[in-house]
Amino acid sequence: MIDRASGLPAYRQVADELRKKINAGEYRPGDKLPSERVLVDTYQVSRITIREAVGLLRAEGLVSAEHGKGVFIRPPQKVERLSRSRLSRAARSAGQAAFLADAASNRFTPAVEVDIRVEAATTEVAQVLGIGEGDEVLVRERVMSADGQPIQLATSRLPRSITAGTAIEQTDTGPGGTYARLEEAGHTLAHFSETVGARMPTPDEASLLRLGAGTPILVVRRVAVDTEGAAVEVNDMRLAGDRYELAYEFPAD
Amino acid sequence: MIDRASGLPAYRQVADELRKKINAGEYRPGDKLPSERVLVDTYQVSRITIREAVGLLRAEGLVSAEHGKGVFIRPPQKVERLSRSRLSRAARSAGQAAFLADAASNRFTPAVEVDIRVEAATTEVAQVLGIGEGDEVLVRERVMSADGQPIQLATSRLPRSITAGTAIEQTDTGPGGTYARLEEAGHTLAHFSETVGARMPTPDEASLLRLGAGTPILVVRRVAVDTEGAAVEVNDMRLAGDRYELAYEFPAD
């Protein structure tokens, strides 16, 4: 299996072989990787080489080590979130806030922890929302879980001038969520823009989302714009990279 | 600065302080981080603590170490790519393939290396393209660079029954690129769907994209659908997470 004449270090070759087996489904999510001893026998390399190979796969997020139990193939299962339909007026009218729509279409049990506060708009937030620096902003800080596992952090900011006196300032915003309440308050939504990036989590984010080593996060900023052209909400989301897949559809013309 | 009474390890506190300075712009991209000795003095902690703190920031992709030169703040500068306009018919008619549109709007000098081959459709590709397993597929494998730095790998697959005899099988597909040629061949495009995920690169991807430690990739699969409802191309892209930001806009109704 290992080609000593190739320029590639042995641990890279072993990692390549194991990765192929994982991607081909020969090892399945939740399966335990063969023990170090077995892998040493299989590939005829040293224990150190096996450790380096497994370390590489851990860094790539393909396997995770459970202390005292062994190394396991990580589940690739993702939450599909189709941006357009989950944020549609039809979904809002049916009483589904976006995350509940995700839960329904992906068949998981959702839970949301909400923390609400009021802060003064920073220069950047003021610019995005088209309000004055220092103006009051309502902040909804959320940790969203699927089947008890935190998978998304979301921080929404809205001008207080819009949210004062509405259920948006309550923990439970009611059927259809914040966007339904915004539309009831006369801010009919026209479109959303989302920017998507990827980076490694900070230690706080990794701990809140219980991310294993080698798991990046998707960073999404959504801005909701009403029919007057006003930005009424900016939502900064951080999603577990091993759990989410974002889906977008757009016309070709 | 360091609160010995807090439960947080000293290296985490130092990393938090440095991260704040980077995010606040106090240290700017390209700046050299103060030397270990200076940081030891500033925070009154051991050299080992400083190394652990800097190691954490490296793992997060905020700084990179250049051998013998020091540790530098990494540039956060991203390529904005607005999916809809870069893939618009107007852009195609103006002769701009998507990557060239990115280059123009982000003011970088583009370069594309293309490798073309024919392969038999795997089960998965056959399913996506709605063709038979084993049917011939044209594969366009590309490495795209901005100002000499590779930033994207893209692998497009199209049914050979569509591409045979067209410039899509040439290295240079001509003005407007593959999509313009597809439309000339009668496959008017109706819409695109893109799914976006994030993961750590494989060693090959990291080396092709020259990614520093702690840099994830954005994984994008685009499917182009024509007005007959046929999937005419599937494009698997891997984008440097520290260089790209994807932008999407969609209506709220």
Side-chain angles (χ1 to χ4, degrees):
Chain A
M1 289 279 196
I2 301 305
D3 177 5
R4 310 256 167 209
S6 92
L8 212 57
Y11 82 95
R12 283 280 301 271
Q13 295 188 47
V14 172
D16 286 350
E17 291 289 331
L18 292 172
R19 194 185 302 109
K20 257 184 234 158
K21 291 188 179 181
I22 293 169
N23 289 336
E26 197 167 323
Y27 297 140
R28 303 185 62 83
D31 279 2
K32 193 172 155 177
L33 209 63
S35 69
E36 276 181 18
R37 202 164 13 158
V38 170
L39 293 173
V40 163
D41 273 1
T42 308
Y43 295 107
Q44 296 291 308
V45 294
S46 72
R47 195 171 272 255
I48 289 174
T49 300
I50 295 297
R51 282 194 191 151
E52 284 180 310
V54 172
L56 191 56
L57 299 179
R58 282 181 65 183
E60 289 171 22
L62 284 178
V63 303
S64 63
E66 292 186 26
H67 193 69
K69 291 192 189 157
V71 176
F72 295 83
I73 316 303
R74 291 177 62 177
Q77 202 200 330
K78 306 259 184 169
V79 174
E80 258 291 336
R81 84 177 207 169
L82 179 57
S83 295
R84 182 153 178 187
S85 63
R86 70 197 287 276
L87 293 172
S88 69
R89 188 159 293 127
R92 283 195 290 285
S93 307
Q96 288 198 311
F99 187 65
L100 302 186
D102 291 345
S105 59
N106 290 278
R107 300 205 192 102
F108 64 74
T109 306
V112 183
E113 274 175 59
V114 187
D115 199 73
I116 293 170
R117 63 174 195 273
V118 171
E119 67 179 26
T122 61
T123 319
E124 198 234 345
V125 166
Q127 211 158 47
V128 174
L129 292 177
I131 60 178
E133 194 178 328
D135 284 2
E136 275 192 346
V137 168
L138 182 83
V139 185
R140 297 180 56 85
E141 193 101 54
R142 284 152 295 161
V143 179
M144 289 141 167
S145 302
D147 299 329
Q149 159 79 36
I151 57 172
Q152 183 184 160
L153 310 174
T155 308
S156 286
R157 290 184 169 83
L158 304 94
R160 191 84 207 282
S161 56
I162 293 180
T163 61
T166 73
I168 300 170
E169 303 206 344
Q170 309 298 317
T171 304
D172 182 358
T173 50
T178 294
Y179 294 142
R181 297 298 83 71
L182 279 172
E183 298 208 312
E184 282 167 11
H187 296 280
T188 305
L189 298 176
H191 67 264
F192 300 101
S193 70
E194 289 191 357
T195 55
V196 183
R199 64 168 167 79
M200 294 313 282
T202 64
D204 281 348
E205 290 164 343
S207 127
L208 277 167
L209 293 171
R210 296 186 213 150
L211 299 175
T215 309
I217 55 173
L218 283 161
V219 179
V220 181
R221 164 169 280 197
R222 181 193 308 138
V223 178
V225 178
D226 72 10
T227 48
E228 316 270 271
V232 289
E233 184 216 33
V234 53
N235 186 358
D236 288 301
M237 293 164 272
R238 286 144 296 161
L239 295 79
D242 59 346
R243 296 300 312 279
Y244 264 104
E245 192 152 81
L246 312 178
Y248 297 94
E249 279 189 14
F250 47 99
D253 56 12
Chain B
M1 289 282 198
I2 301 304
D3 177 5
R4 309 258 168 207
S6 91
L8 210 60
Y11 81 96
R12 284 278 302 270
Q13 295 187 49
V14 172
D16 287 351
E17 292 289 331
L18 293 173
R19 194 185 303 110
K20 255 184 235 159
K21 290 188 180 182
I22 294 169
N23 289 335
E26 197 167 323
Y27 297 139
R28 303 186 63 84
D31 278 3
K32 193 172 156 179
L33 209 63
S35 69
E36 276 182 18
R37 199 160 20 156
V38 170
L39 292 173
V40 162
D41 273 1
T42 308
Y43 295 107
Q44 295 291 308
V45 294
S46 72
R47 195 171 271 254
I48 288 173
T49 299
I50 294 297
R51 282 193 192 154
E52 285 180 310
V54 172
L56 191 56
L57 299 179
R58 281 181 66 184
E60 291 171 21
L62 284 177
V63 302
S64 63
E66 292 185 27
H67 193 69
K69 291 193 190 159
V71 176
F72 294 83
I73 316 304
R74 290 177 62 176
Q77 202 199 328
K78 307 257 184 170
V79 174
E80 260 291 337
R81 85 177 206 169
L82 179 57
S83 295
R84 184 153 177 186
S85 62
R86 70 197 287 276
L87 293 172
S88 70
R89 187 157 297 127
R92 282 194 292 285
S93 306
Q96 288 199 312
F99 187 66
L100 301 187
D102 292 345
S105 60
N106 289 279
R107 299 204 194 102
F108 64 74
T109 305
V112 183
E113 273 175 59
V114 187
D115 199 72
I116 292 171
R117 63 172 194 273
V118 172
E119 68 179 24
T122 62
T123 319
E124 198 235 346
V125 166
Q127 212 159 46
V128 174
L129 292 177
I131 58 178
E133 194 177 329
D135 284 1
E136 275 191 346
V137 168
L138 183 83
V139 185
R140 297 180 57 86
E141 193 100 56
R142 284 151 296 162
V143 178
M144 290 141 166
S145 303
D147 299 329
Q149 158 80 36
I151 57 171
Q152 184 184 160
L153 311 174
T155 308
S156 287
R157 290 184 170 82
L158 304 94
R160 191 85 207 282
S161 57
I162 293 180
T163 61
T166 73
I168 301 171
E169 303 206 342
Q170 308 299 317
T171 304
D172 182 358
T173 51
T178 293
Y179 295 143
R181 297 297 84 70
L182 278 172
E183 298 208 313
E184 282 169 9
H187 296 278
T188 305
L189 299 176
H191 67 264
F192 300 102
S193 71
E194 289 191 357
T195 55
V196 183
R199 63 168 169 78
M200 294 312 284
T202 64
D204 281 349
E205 290 164 342
S207 125
L208 277 167
L209 292 171
R210 296 186 214 151
L211 299 174
T215 309
I217 54 173
L218 283 161
V219 180
V220 180
R221 165 169 279 197
R222 181 193 308 139
V223 178
V225 179
D226 72 10
T227 48
E228 316 269 273
V232 290
E233 183 216 34
V234 52
N235 185 357
D236 288 302
M237 292 164 272
R238 286 144 296 161
L239 295 77
D242 59 345
R243 295 300 311 279
Y244 263 105
E245 193 153 82
L246 313 178
Y248 297 95
E249 279 190 16
F250 46 100
D253 55 12

